[in-house]
Structure formats: structure tokens, C-alpha cells
Amino acid sequence: MIFSAAFLGFAQSLTCEIDGDLNMHAITSGGRGGGPDAPMSPFWSQIARELSPYVPGEQPRIANLVKLNTNESPFGPSPLALEAMRAAAADTLRLYPDPEATELREALAAHHGVKPEQVFVGNGSDEVLAHAFVALLKQPKPLLFPDVTYSFFPVWAQLFGLACETVPLDGGMRIGVEDYRRAAGSIVLANPNAPTGIALPRAEIARLLEDHPDIPVLIDEAYVDFGGESAVPLIAHHPNLLVVQTMSKSRALAGLRVGYALGDVGLIEALRRVKDSFNSYPLGRVAQAGATASVRDEAYFRESCARVVAAREAMTRELIRLGLVVLPSSANFVFARHPARGGSEFAAALREHAVLVRHFNKPRTAPYLRITVGTEDDTRRLIAAAADILGVE
């Protein structure tokens, strides 16, 4: 990923135990070449030999499939974004794009009420997060994150040689900020958390920042637009806070790969230094044009988010009617379990009905399925398949 001095110390072993949405070997995936069973070349570096890479959600080629496993938007992107991308696909593609993505950063700054110099953009929020692990989170003391969270966190910790410790979620699968009152070098939280979908109020993030004013704190807000409270307003009073968001979910631009970070100018400069030691042109002309137009189409953005929230609540009601336990979600997915059916068994049965969901086969998450919010027809087919499997009318 990032070929710089950050690679020094990669042989350092990963110290944290991982669970839930963490270990790539625990993820029901497939449909990709290579993988953990691919032959090891004698030319691999020691780094490559020791990695346990992240495995993305399955992208199968199955006809008439209800695909509810990767948290993609059920609705298309802004028509203005599509128009802007078509216009950008012109002769000017022979020229390099703006390395600073100035117009996009200005649009994002206006949207979030910050200055353009407080905005950093990258090739998907995963790249932005990876840069942050190198630029900010790699500290002498351990990085803290939940035991059930976004599965890329421990991968980056291993890749970049960060010592880390996991902090268990409580019995309700919630993050308790009081559990983070311990010595730490940095903290990263997904809020709303993944794969649980449960969100912390902004006031709790403020408490966390007050407890740790002297270390970098990163809040990954990939799903915040579906009902969470963004921590962005806290940036003005907390120079150690970095907030990362994506345009893959609420703006339906997963195929465009655009993510960004908001924070104090000093934090953003650290990210920029890492970017320019890796890839000075992370976003092409088409991506910058489409993302900028999407940010400016506020009406479509609000309408699309409201539709997803309404669809999530309707799906939740139906799943509860069938006897499932559904965690309170502020994301575009739900985390649900059936008291009498194991998660792996249930996921396999749904697949037999051409309904694809995601299962994480680790002790704390094994009973659950993560189910993406889909269209009305997707939900109808999901509920019909689940009812048939469970023998419920």
C-alpha cells in the first residue's frame, strides 16, 4: 500500500485479539482469485508472508440474486453527478487531474462548515484511513479499537506495525467510552459501528475526546448519514480529532471510490505528506467531477438517505415479526439473529433462496447476519425467503 518509511517495523507482530467483523478468515466470502489457500511464491517478502489481508464482500455473478451483503446503496447516485461524470469523460482525460482536488474539497468544506484546508480526499475512505494509520495512529503506545468493528482496522495495524489492543463491546454489543479510559497512543472507532450498526451520540464522542486530549482520535463515519450524529462539529474544539467519511454509501458512489477526512489543519497536513509519498493523484478527473456534483446536490442526498432509513425501519419490523432479534441500527444495514437458528446455517439457507447476506463466523458475531437495506422488492424477497426457512407465514 504505502511505500515509505512507514514500512519500517512491519515485522512487529500484531498484539490484539480480533473478533466479529475482524478476521478475514472468519468472513464468508469467495468469488475472488487467490486468497489464503493460494500458493506462496518464494519471491514474497516477509511482510507479504505474514499478512492476513482484508477480504471484501462477495460480488457474485448469479442471475436474479438479492444482493444484501456489501452495504451498497439500493438507489442510484445523483443525476447531477452522472451528468458531471459524462461531461468529464472527454479529451481532457489525457491530462493529469488536480492533485489537491481543490473544487471537491471546497464543496465538502462548504457542506460540513469547515475550511478547505481542513479537508483531505482520497481513493475511497479505506485509502484515507490507511494514510491516517501511518500519519497519525502509529504511536509508541498501543492503538485502541473495539473487539467487534470494521475488519480493516487490525489489517492496517498489522501491515504498518502498530501495537494495538481491542476493547470489548458490552453485552448489548455497544461501545462504552468509559472502557477507553486507559493508557493509549491513539484510538479509532467506527460510528455507527460495523457490523452492529449501533451509534454513539456525539456527546459520548466528546467525552472520549475530553478523556484523551493528547492523542489522535479517529472516528470513521462511513454510515453516519443514516441516523447517526456526526462528530464534525467537535473538530473546532479538538485539534486531535479526525473524522473520516465516504461517498460510497449515502451518496451511492461505491464504484467511484471517493473518501475524505475532516480535521485540524495539522492533521490534514500529515495525511497530505503520506499521500504525496505514495500517490499524488489519487482521484481522477471523472471521480472529482462526479463527487463534487454529488456534494452540491443536497436535495437528492437528503431524499436518498430518508428513503434508506424508511426501508431499514420497514425491514426491521418484518424481521422482528418473523422472530429475529435486531440490534438498533443507525446504518444502511441491520445486524440480526434468530434465537433458534445459527447464523451460518441461516445465511446458507438464504443463499439457497438466492438471497445473499453477510455472516462473520467468530464467537461474538456467529449468531448474527448483517443484512443490507435494499429496495422494496429486495426486502419482500428477503422476508419471503426467511419466512419459508423458518416455517412462518
Side-chain angles (χ1 to χ4, degrees):
M1 293 179 67
I2 297 173
F3 299 96
S4 67
F7 271 100
L8 296 177
F10 280 177
Q12 179 179 337
S13 61
L14 183 64
T15 61
C16 49
E17 294 296 326
I18 55 180
D19 198 357
D21 190 16
L22 295 179
N23 190 337
M24 80 95 175
H25 298 298
I27 298 174
T28 301
S29 185
R32 65 185 304 218
D37 299 322
M40 183 181 294
S41 167
F43 303 109
W44 286 14
S45 70
Q46 192 63 28
I47 297 168
R49 291 172 185 272
E50 294 178 353
L51 286 176
S52 296
Y54 173 82
V55 174
E58 185 178 358
Q59 299 285 353
R61 299 179 179 179
I62 301 173
N64 201 31
L65 178 72
V66 178
K67 188 175 181 299
L68 303 176
N69 69 319
T70 50
N71 299 341
E72 294 148 323
S73 173
F75 312 115
S78 159
L80 297 183
L82 294 174
E83 181 181 345
M85 286 185 281
R86 292 188 188 101
D91 178 68
T92 50
L93 289 179
R94 65 187 173 82
L95 302 173
Y96 283 109
D98 175 5
E100 300 300 327
T102 305
E103 190 175 6
L104 174 56
R105 290 191 302 106
E106 289 174 348
L108 287 166
H111 176 75
H112 288 285
V114 298
K115 299 176 181 178
E117 55 267 32
Q118 293 181 281
V119 183
F120 176 88
V121 298
N123 189 253
S125 62
D126 286 339
E127 180 182 78
V128 176
L129 287 163
H131 288 339
F133 266 66
V134 176
L136 301 170
L137 302 187
K138 186 169 184 176
Q139 301 291 339
K141 292 181 180 179
L143 166 68
L144 304 183
F145 54 79
D147 65 334
V148 178
T149 192
Y150 184 34
S151 52
F152 239 136
F153 292 168
V155 173
W156 288 317
Q158 182 186 23
L159 178 61
F160 300 129
L162 279 73
C164 60
E165 296 175 2
T166 58
V167 181
L169 301 182
D170 67 16
M173 302 293 275
R174 295 177 180 273
I175 294 171
V177 296
E178 62 277 3
D179 296 329
Y180 288 79
R181 289 174 180 157
R182 62 171 83 173
S186 55
I187 295 171
V188 58
L189 299 179
N191 190 43
N193 197 19
T196 67
I198 300 176
L200 281 172
R202 185 185 300 133
E204 290 296 285
I205 301 298
R207 283 180 57 204
L208 181 71
L209 291 163
E210 290 162 5
D211 289 341
H212 295 280
D214 300 322
I215 65 171
V217 175
L218 191 159
I219 306 299
D220 177 7
E221 295 187 343
Y223 303 100
V224 75
D225 295 323
F226 302 112
E229 281 189 300
S230 177
V232 170
L234 302 175
I235 289 172
H237 303 290
H238 297 279
N240 61 324
L241 170 63
L242 189 77
V243 177
V244 175
Q245 295 196 11
T246 179
M247 303 190 78
S248 295
K249 314 300 183 184
S250 57
R251 296 189 182 273
L253 291 172
L256 207 59
R257 311 308 301 128
V258 179
Y260 59 96
L262 307 165
D264 181 78
V265 174
L267 302 185
I268 299 304
E269 174 60 17
L271 298 179
R272 190 192 66 78
R273 288 171 62 85
V274 171
K275 172 186 80 78
D276 287 340
S277 301
F278 170 56
N279 178 10
S280 292
Y281 301 97
L283 291 184
R285 287 177 172 269
V286 174
Q288 291 187 35
T292 302
S294 176
V295 174
R296 290 173 176 164
D297 193 353
E298 184 72 14
Y300 185 87
F301 167 67
R302 295 298 175 190
E303 177 189 1
S304 180
C305 289
R307 293 175 68 190
V308 170
V309 170
R312 181 189 70 212
E313 298 309 305
M315 183 173 73
T316 298
R317 288 192 295 270
E318 288 297 298
L319 291 171
I320 291 173
R321 180 181 65 82
L322 295 180
L324 279 80
V325 176
V326 184
L327 298 186
S329 176
S330 295
N332 68 339
F333 61 84
V334 300
F335 208 43
R337 63 179 175 84
H338 192 276
R341 297 288 182 118
S344 179
E345 171 200 352
F346 204 170
L350 285 169
R351 191 184 181 98
E352 290 297 315
H353 286 71
V355 176
L356 188 63
V357 299
R358 199 156 186 189
H359 177 246
F360 303 97
N361 192 26
K362 293 291 286 184
R364 297 199 70 188
T365 56
Y368 290 88
L369 301 178
R370 195 193 68 189
I371 308 171
T372 302
V373 174
T375 63
E376 287 186 12
D377 186 61
D378 291 337
T379 299
R380 178 188 60 78
R381 290 180 58 188
L382 164 71
I383 298 303
D388 183 63
I389 293 165
L390 297 170
V392 178
E393 294 186 4

